[in-house]
Amino acid sequence: MAHHMKAIVIAFGLVVLAGALTWVMYPTSLPARQQVYRPVPAAEFRAIRSLALGIARSGVGAGVELEAGDEASHALLFSCNGVPLVSLMNSEQALVVMEFAGFDTRAPGLAAKVGVLSDALVPMQSTPARSGMPSEPTGFESFVLKHRDGLDLAERCES
């Protein structure tokens, strides 16, 4: 009888371990529409950063935050309650704008204001026409994003 119990305990332990490994290792991502533009000189990115700071100050919407680094920063990130909305990253190869799935629902009005930032940018020739917005993760991936990664996709910025 004790041998049988030991086997059950070991089997249960393996199931718990498999569950824990799945929880820790499960790959999650928040899909984004990526637009690639020609890189801009540092001075021009500083001007874009200033515009972004102005947009953030003017109130893009309750709960929307801007991480813009310092003057020498090459990246900007608008987020809401820890969930990324839109980012701009400038490198020597390209300036990449990423609009994360569901950002327009979470922060209505942000798309139009961020559009101002990318209006003057020159798209890379190899980039296909503006593709559709990817859909947000659902089901288990959404659950893991919320409870493991701290990204609650159901949360709106006003809250």
Side-chain angles (χ1 to χ4, degrees):
M1 190 70 164
H3 182 69
H4 185 67
M5 279 303 286
K6 192 174 176 184
I8 289 173
V9 168
I10 289 172
F12 181 72
L14 288 173
V15 167
V16 169
L17 180 64
L21 279 174
T22 300
W23 183 253
V24 171
M25 305 299 283
Y26 191 82
T28 55
S29 67
L30 184 55
R33 175 171 55 200
Q34 186 171 304
Q35 289 142 263
V36 184
Y37 299 93
R38 288 206 184 125
V40 297
E44 199 172 322
F45 195 78
R46 274 197 300 278
I48 291 172
R49 179 180 173 277
S50 293
L51 275 173
L53 288 166
I55 288 170
R57 272 195 299 273
S58 72
V60 198
V64 176
E65 295 158 8
L66 171 65
E67 293 166 42
D70 61 15
E71 283 284 316
S73 173
H74 299 287
L76 302 169
L77 173 66
F78 285 96
S79 63
C80 158
N81 298 317
V83 180
L85 300 169
V86 177
S87 73
L88 285 82
M89 290 165 280
N90 190 36
S91 71
E92 288 178 19
Q93 293 76 35
L95 191 155
V96 178
V97 176
M98 293 179 75
E99 296 173 336
F100 292 88
F103 89 95
D104 40 358
T105 314
R106 267 190 287 290
L110 180 62
K113 291 184 176 176
V114 169
V116 172
L117 300 178
S118 56
D119 276 350
L121 300 174
V122 181
M124 293 283 227
Q125 270 66 39
S126 59
T127 310
R130 202 174 160 88
S131 55
M133 179 59 78
S135 56
E136 287 191 36
T138 55
F140 186 66
E141 186 170 10
S142 175
F143 181 82
V144 173
L145 277 165
K146 177 178 180 178
H147 295 284
R148 183 191 73 189
D149 303 341
L151 299 180
D152 185 357
L153 302 184
E155 208 166 299
R156 300 292 170 250
C157 289
E158 297 81 47
S159 54

